[in-house]
Amino acid sequence: MKHKAEFSNAGSDTDLDPDISDRTAGVPPAVAGASRLRTTRWAELVATFFGIGRLRPGPGTWASAATVVLWWLITRWIGAYWQPWAAILLALLAIAVGIPAATRVSRASGSKDPQWVVIDEVAGQLIALIAVPISWKSLLLGFILFRGFDIVKPPPLRRLEQLPEGVGIVVDDVGAGLYALVVMQLVLHFGWLPR
């Protein structure tokens, strides 16, 4: 019987999220399990950017490409003046919900930086597109710059990966987005992007 009790506790809610034990004390197990499942579902949806993180190969590239396409579609309904502000707000939203979602998925999977967590690419790609004119050349260049910086991870991005949990998962891509933003703005300022 002792083995059965140990087995039934293995993989319990408290193993996945130590804070759950405080929230589920005195709650019937069926209710506590349903609550954990809902919490995990929202985190999984956000972290994988509605399942795009499950695409292979290169889930980060798929997420960046989807972000560029979605941004292009969104800008059809936003005036040019408001587009930089919209990109900033969407990037901040992706960061704000991405960090807790990435933390939960990372804890549940037991992996420091699960490959299918791509909300960080969404945030970084949006940052790279702030104040970028909406044309296929500028969007493609923003995509290439962000993916390049995200893959190469110039200093100090590798160090940012060492930050704990969701912060480390998201912040290094925010840094890659900032690098891409700076280069993109230089390219636009000096007119190096062919028309």
Side-chain angles (χ1 to χ4, degrees), residues 46-171:
V46 169
T48 64
F49 195 46
F50 303 98
I52 290 173
R54 298 289 183 187
L55 297 176
R56 297 287 179 264
T61 300
W62 284 107
S64 291
T67 302
V68 170
V69 170
L70 286 172
W71 176 242
W72 176 76
L73 290 171
I74 289 169
T75 59
R76 304 286 133 220
W77 293 283
I78 302 173
Y81 174 80
W82 294 105
Q83 288 174 8
W85 299 108
I88 291 167
L89 287 173
L90 288 172
L92 290 173
L93 178 64
I95 293 165
V97 299
I99 289 173
T103 297
R104 287 188 179 277
V105 171
S106 173
R107 286 179 186 175
S109 70
S111 172
K112 179 167 175 32
D113 190 354
Q115 191 178 21
W116 62 90
V117 172
V118 293
I119 192 67
D120 49 337
E121 274 83 9
V122 173
Q125 185 65 71
L126 283 167
I127 290 168
L129 298 176
I130 293 171
V132 171
I134 306 303
S135 72
W136 73 268
K137 290 178 183 176
S138 60
L139 293 175
L140 179 61
L141 181 59
F143 171 78
I144 292 168
L145 286 172
F146 172 69
R147 291 308 301 146
F149 283 118
D150 188 30
I151 291 165
V152 173
K153 296 203 186 299
L157 300 185
R158 290 258 180 237
R159 282 197 175 156
L160 294 176
E161 280 185 314
Q162 303 309 312
L163 292 170
E165 298 184 319
V167 174
I169 292 170
V170 174
V171 171

